[in-house]
Amino acid sequence: GQNIDQPTEMTATEGAIVQINCTYQTSGFNGLFWYQQHAGEAPTFLSYNVLDGLEEKGRFSSFLSRSKGYSYLLLKELQMKDSASYLCAVLDSNYQLIWGAGTKLIIKP
Amino acid sequence: SQTIHQWPATLVQPVGSPLSLECTVEGTSNPNLYWYRQAAGRGLQLLFYSVGIGQISSEVPQNLSASRPQDRQFILSSKKLLLSDSGFYLCAWSVADWNTGELFFGEGSRLTVL
């Protein structure tokens, strides 16, 4: 079966750095996505990785290792507004998105 | 610019009643359209997707159905709601090819079946 694993919840301090990991086992791979979802709202796109390596976009970076089936989202200079759930999703060989359950990130002052 | 809108945002329905959630997209043509359900603590579950008018693919057998009467309109329906239909429903669209694979979501509709 297809599986996406990410921690259920993480806590970090305002101004710090946090890394949210995602491991996947899917039938084929056509890219990995990270979405941010604030409570009660729709997910919004953060990043897309299809090749190995690090993609940096402002305070957020996303890393991919296809051989390890592994990705992480790195958030720097954390702000209170970063409190949200972060969803990892993989596009499989049939171009279907497989979603993880999400990691709830709690930011403390 | 492209926009997506779904409604209603919140609804409380009794068991056995019908359901209709609507979604419209503006600013793009021939989008792929999706209906997802999100249960607490679980990943997004794809319910239906459509690549064109009248073309509906169902991912999970259930009490729900979908229709696409126009290019940019997607409707989720049920004739008789079950308690298990409660959840957060999300409509989404993407471009027809998967070069980026980005999904754009509507605001969501929270359904409570009592």
Side-chain angles (χ1 to χ4, degrees):
Chain A
Q2 308 205 85
N3 196 50
I4 309 281
D5 286 317
Q6 49 182 133
T8 302
E9 186 174 297
M10 299 181 70
T11 302
T13 304
E14 189 177 16
I17 299 173
V18 71
Q19 176 175 311
I20 302 173
N21 296 325
C22 171
T23 57
Y24 62 90
Q25 293 175 312
T26 57
S27 55
F29 178 86
N30 280 300
L32 184 144
F33 302 82
W34 285 97
Y35 279 78
Q36 181 190 60
Q37 185 178 25
H38 286 99
E41 299 182 8
T44 55
F45 172 80
L46 288 178
S47 68
Y48 169 67
N49 294 69
V50 66
L51 300 176
D52 290 349
L54 187 68
E55 296 278 344
E56 297 185 77
K57 191 184 294 185
R59 294 188 299 113
F60 292 7
S61 303
S62 56
F63 171 83
L64 174 67
S65 169
R66 288 171 297 171
S67 62
K68 296 182 179 179
Y70 167 71
S71 172
Y72 67 73
L73 180 69
L74 191 71
L75 292 74
K76 302 177 183 177
E77 301 170 13
L78 285 169
Q79 302 175 10
M80 297 304 293
K81 67 179 182 178
D82 297 330
S83 292
S85 288
Y86 292 85
L87 311 180
C88 175
V90 171
L91 197 61
D92 71 9
S93 57
N94 294 318
Y95 290 92
Q96 296 295 326
L97 269 176
I98 311 301
W99 294 85
T103 298
K104 182 178 181 180
L105 178 62
I106 299 169
I107 309 296
K108 296 186 175 180
Chain B
S1 63
Q2 302 93 351
T3 60
I4 179 169
H5 181 51
Q6 65 177 100
W7 69 94
T10 306
L11 62 166
V12 180
Q13 297 283 105
V15 169
S17 64
L19 171 74
S20 180
L21 300 178
E22 294 194 36
C23 173
T24 59
V25 180
E26 297 294 334
T28 187
S29 296
N30 195 32
N32 290 343
L33 295 173
Y34 309 82
W35 277 111
Y36 281 93
R37 178 167 58 202
Q38 187 175 36
R42 301 185 66 177
L44 288 170
Q45 179 188 31
L46 180 63
L47 301 176
F48 301 94
Y49 71 93
S50 171
V51 298
I53 297 174
Q55 301 178 61
I56 309 294
S57 295
S58 174
E59 290 298 302
V60 181
Q62 62 217 318
N63 185 41
L64 303 169
S65 62
S67 62
R68 185 171 178 173
Q70 301 179 42
D71 181 46
R72 291 170 292 178
Q73 183 184 24
F74 207 23
I75 299 171
L76 182 69
S77 304
S78 174
K79 293 182 178 179
K80 289 186 177 181
L81 284 169
L82 305 173
L83 286 174
S84 58
D85 291 325
S86 293
F88 190 51
Y89 289 82
L90 289 158
C91 180
W93 74 272
S94 69
V95 296
D97 64 56
W98 272 101
N99 281 343
T100 66
E102 182 176 352
L103 279 180
F104 301 89
F105 287 89
E107 307 93 331
S109 299
R110 185 161 302 281
L111 170 65
T112 302
V113 182
L114 301 175

